[in-house]
């Protein structure tokens, strides 16, 4: 089979030939980079959904404090519900694929996957929030409902000059009696569920659990990540050295005569060096 | 849907609690502790049940205006009962009724004052009950309802 391998700029204007060996190495490196980024992106999906929930809670809290714009309240309640649903779904996207991604990055290190499994088990044993959000996935996918009640309190505090000042506190709750069960919810979790759960507090604790998983997973792939990163960077530098930085958006192409001289495979390369900048996930928060 | 003309202005002497759930709503206000403790007298509770048409309106508006109505009735009572040592210590409102509790030197002060006050259209005729507890005890007991579970 006659195959041709090369690097190309975005507009196919400039090309640089590759050997089959180099092509395979780049393909493996690209796979690893994309998987590691996928783990990070999914972690930040969860954190970003949490931020959105916080913002929506603050807005709803203000609306309930003034009770002025009822139409706005009715509009924002379903939006908050949607955000909490999204949070729960994104949490499952992260936890359900974490092991698969790490396994694909480290195909020969099965003991790493065992280690991750054990860590997830430990989190499940240790944290009620981890168990509850895990069980909540079935509930929200079935009912599309992710909270049941609001609680808006205000108290008076005295400021520095002794003048009274009103402070509001706004919370969203999941109530055990509204979950129903045990058929509607994982029985073992329902049994230990308190009468009501403060949603933001629950999700903040869950964020902490995912943070531990994410940190550990990143530690496992650090070596292959840096190896893949520097190899791709090396090829990019050669390409840029030859054609200039304006052609830095590079793709890898595999052409074969067996398909009528068509492009058999084409994948982006430089985006995996840059996409942390794009999505702002270069710093853990 | 009822549109309120202005934002809820909670009187600075009172703290508030509002529970909003799928099939209940409970809004309450109570006098700040520093103002409540010195009060003495008889605790009288005036309970206004919603009129039938108000119940329907409240249902249609998801009970979103009941806190405004509670403040209105407090204003009316304050405007009527100008006697000294007569003070609203607690107010709660839900889908059944709005109840306002006062401390007065004698229950008669409240009874007589209320006689001269026209009953707002959205309420049925009020029921009055005297409570044989101090203002502080009364508020502490009612504030147990601030737990969403009990309301």
């Amino acid at each position: 089979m006659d195959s041709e391998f090369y690097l190309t700029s975005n507009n196919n204007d400039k090309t640089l030939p590759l050997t089959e060996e180099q092509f395979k190495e780049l393909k493996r490196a690209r796979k690893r980079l994309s998987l590691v980024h996928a783990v990070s992106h999914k972690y930040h999906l969860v954190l970003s959904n949490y931020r959105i929930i916080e913002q929506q809670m603050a807005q709803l809290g203000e609306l309930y404090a003034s009770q002025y714009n009822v139409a706005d309240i009715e509009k924002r309640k379903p939006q908050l519900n949607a955000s909490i649903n999204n949070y729960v779904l994104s949490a499952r996207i992260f936890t359900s694929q974490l092991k698969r991604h790490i396994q694909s990055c480290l195909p020969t290190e099965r003991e790493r996957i065992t280690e991750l499994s054990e860590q997830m088990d430990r989190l499940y044993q240790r944290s009620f929030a981890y168990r509850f959000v895990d069980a909540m996935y079935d509930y929200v996918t079935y009912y599309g409902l992710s909270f049941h009640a609001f609680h808006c309190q205000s108290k008076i505090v005295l400021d520095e000059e002794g003048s009274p000042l009103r402070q509001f506190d706004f919370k969203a709750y999941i109530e055990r009696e509204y979950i129903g069960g045990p058929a509607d919810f994982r029985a073992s979790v329902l049994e230990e569920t308190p009468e009501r759960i403060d949603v933001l507090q629950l999700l903040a604790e869950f964020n902490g659990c995912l943070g531990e998983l994410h940190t550990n997973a990143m530690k496992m792939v650090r070596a292959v990540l840096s190896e893949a990163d520097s190899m791709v960077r090396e090829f990019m530098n050669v390409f840029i050295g030859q054609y200039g930085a304006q052609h830095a958006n590079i793709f890898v192409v595999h052409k074969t005569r067996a398909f009528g001289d068509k492009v058999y495979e084409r994948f982006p390369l430089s985006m995996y060096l840059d996409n942390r900048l794009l999505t702002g996930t270069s710093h853990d928060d | 849907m009822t549109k309120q003309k202005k934002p809820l202005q909670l009187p600075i002497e009172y703290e508030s609690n509002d529970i909003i759930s799928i099939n209940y709503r409970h809004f309450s206000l109570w006098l700040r502790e520093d103002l409540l403790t010195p009060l003495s007298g008889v605790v009288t509770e005036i309970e206004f049940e919603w009129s039938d048409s108000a119940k329907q309106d409240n249902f249609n508006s998801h009970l979103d205006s009941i806190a405004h109505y509670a403040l209105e009735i407090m204003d009316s009572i304050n405007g009527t009962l100008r006697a000294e040592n007569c003070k609203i210590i607690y107010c709660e409102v839900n889908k059944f009724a709005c109840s306002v509790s006062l401390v007065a030197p004698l229950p008669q002060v409240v009874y007589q004052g209320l006689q001269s006050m026209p009953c707002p259209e959205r309420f049925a005729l009020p029921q009055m009950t005297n409570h044989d507890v101090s203002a502080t005890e009364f508020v502490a007991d009612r504030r147990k309802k601030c737990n969403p579970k009990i309301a």
Side-chain angles (χ1 to χ4, degrees):
Chain A
M1 185 170 84
D2 281 333
S3 282
E4 195 187 345
F5 306 98
Y6 56 89
L7 291 177
T8 175
S9 55
N10 192 23
N11 54 11
N12 298 315
D13 195 21
K14 309 289 180 196
T15 60
L16 195 70
L18 297 170
T19 65
E20 185 168 1
E21 196 50 44
Q22 287 172 324
F23 171 80
K24 283 182 177 162
E25 277 175 18
L26 281 176
K27 193 170 167 172
R28 194 181 310 123
R30 179 257 182 168
K31 187 180 173 191
R32 285 177 169 169
L33 288 172
S34 67
L35 288 168
V36 175
H37 287 321
V39 171
S40 239
H41 288 322
K42 286 169 187 176
Y43 174 58
H44 286 88
L45 269 187
V46 180
L47 294 188
S48 301
N49 279 327
Y50 182 80
R51 301 265 182 285
I52 293 171
I53 295 169
E54 275 186 323
Q55 287 161 8
Q56 288 179 335
M57 284 285 291
Q59 287 167 343
L60 259 171
E62 270 180 44
L63 287 171
Y64 269 112
S66 76
Q67 307 209 6
Y68 175 48
N69 195 339
V70 170
D72 221 11
I73 289 180
E74 294 301 324
K75 195 177 79 192
R76 282 172 198 274
K77 273 197 281 194
Q79 291 176 353
L80 176 67
N81 185 44
S83 302
I84 304 174
N85 270 260
N86 285 342
Y87 178 96
V88 174
L89 302 188
S90 66
R92 178 58 69 90
I93 288 172
F94 177 83
T95 54
S96 69
Q97 297 183 356
L98 177 65
K99 285 195 278 184
R100 193 178 313 158
H101 287 344
I102 300 301
Q103 166 92 69
S104 304
C105 272
L106 309 166
T108 58
E109 299 179 43
R110 297 226 36 119
E111 68 278 6
R112 294 303 199 177
I113 305 312
T114 314
E115 192 188 313
L116 267 184
S117 286
E118 284 168 0
Q119 190 189 9
M120 288 167 108
D121 285 347
R122 275 199 308 279
L123 285 171
Y124 194 90
Q125 299 300 327
R126 190 190 78 198
S127 161
F128 170 73
Y130 193 87
R131 292 191 289 279
F132 193 86
V133 174
D134 193 53
M136 228 179 133
Y137 174 81
D138 295 326
Y139 183 80
V140 303
T141 50
Y142 196 77
Y143 293 105
L145 181 66
S146 54
F147 72 96
H148 304 119
F150 291 127
H151 193 189
C152 181
Q153 290 172 289
S154 81
K155 60 176 182 176
I156 307 296
V157 292
L158 300 179
D159 69 8
E160 289 156 5
E161 283 138 32
S163 318
L165 200 70
R166 189 176 298 281
Q167 276 184 352
F168 282 97
D169 179 43
F170 186 68
K171 290 188 167 106
Y173 286 110
I174 295 164
E175 300 200 31
R176 187 181 61 202
E177 296 201 329
Y178 282 166
I179 294 175
D184 292 338
F185 207 76
R186 192 177 301 163
S188 61
V189 177
L190 188 64
E191 205 169 301
E192 57 168 337
T193 299
E195 277 171 2
R196 57 199 171 98
I197 298 173
D198 179 335
V199 173
L200 268 185
Q201 209 182 321
L202 175 86
L203 303 186
E205 185 185 329
F206 187 83
N207 283 347
C209 295
L210 287 201
E212 288 180 36
L213 280 174
H214 180 252
T215 305
N216 195 22
M218 286 298 130
K219 212 162 71 191
M220 290 177 180
V221 295
R222 188 174 294 151
V224 291
L225 176 65
S226 116
E227 194 186 311
D229 191 277
S230 47
M231 185 177 53
V232 169
R233 205 169 291 280
E234 208 178 300
F235 278 92
M236 263 192 57
N237 287 341
V238 170
F239 196 90
I240 291 168
Q242 188 142 349
Y243 298 116
Q246 69 270 35
H247 296 290
N249 193 7
I250 298 167
F251 295 77
V252 178
V253 177
H254 174 192
K255 249 186 187 179
T256 170
R257 300 247 163 79
F259 291 87
D261 208 20
K262 290 267 172 60
V263 170
Y264 176 65
E265 194 180 359
R266 177 185 159 106
F267 57 82
L269 196 62
S270 40
M271 80 169 254
Y272 294 103
L273 299 183
D274 298 337
N275 79 346
R276 269 175 291 183
L277 300 175
L278 185 71
T279 54
T281 58
S282 54
H283 301 289
D284 272 358
D285 32 347
Chain B
M1 199 175 285
T2 321
K3 175 106 174 79
Q4 291 303 326
K5 290 187 190 68
K6 56 183 185 190
L8 199 66
Q9 294 286 346
L10 299 174
I12 199 71
E13 294 176 304
Y14 295 87
E15 299 187 318
S16 75
N17 187 76
D18 196 359
I19 301 154
I20 307 111
S21 185
I22 290 167
N23 60 359
Y24 63 74
R25 178 80 187 252
H26 181 268
F27 176 82
S28 57
L29 281 171
W30 57 87
L31 195 63
R32 271 154 50 191
E33 205 177 353
D34 56 322
L35 303 174
L36 182 68
T37 320
L39 293 181
S40 63
V42 181
V43 176
T44 302
E45 181 177 10
I46 316 166
E47 192 177 41
F48 297 87
E49 277 190 29
W50 298 106
S51 67
D52 288 341
S53 66
K55 262 184 205 159
Q56 191 57 47
D57 289 347
N58 286 341
F59 180 79
N60 292 340
S61 64
H62 305 264
L63 301 175
D64 272 324
S65 292
I66 62 173
H68 290 272
Y69 298 155
L71 292 188
E72 276 173 31
I73 194 82
M74 280 171 72
D75 272 352
S76 304
I77 292 171
N78 278 332
T80 309
L81 295 172
R82 294 183 175 280
E84 226 168 287
N85 302 329
C86 193
K87 186 83 191 160
I88 294 176
I89 55 169
Y90 183 78
C91 172
E92 67 181 322
V93 56
N94 58 28
K95 64 179 167 184
F96 303 112
C98 177
S99 135
V100 182
S101 301
L102 303 97
V103 156
L106 287 168
Q108 283 82 344
V109 178
V110 180
Y111 281 72
Q112 281 161 9
L114 213 60
Q115 296 288 332
S116 64
M117 189 185 109
C119 184
E121 264 178 38
R122 61 172 74 95
F123 294 112
L125 281 179
Q127 302 263 326
M128 286 204 260
T129 320
N130 293 330
H131 293 274
D132 193 17
V133 289
S134 76
T136 309
E137 285 164 348
F138 180 82
V139 169
D141 184 59
R142 289 301 169 97
R143 278 183 60 187
K144 289 178 188 162
K145 289 187 184 177
C146 294
N147 182 336
K149 182 67 190 86
I150 294 165

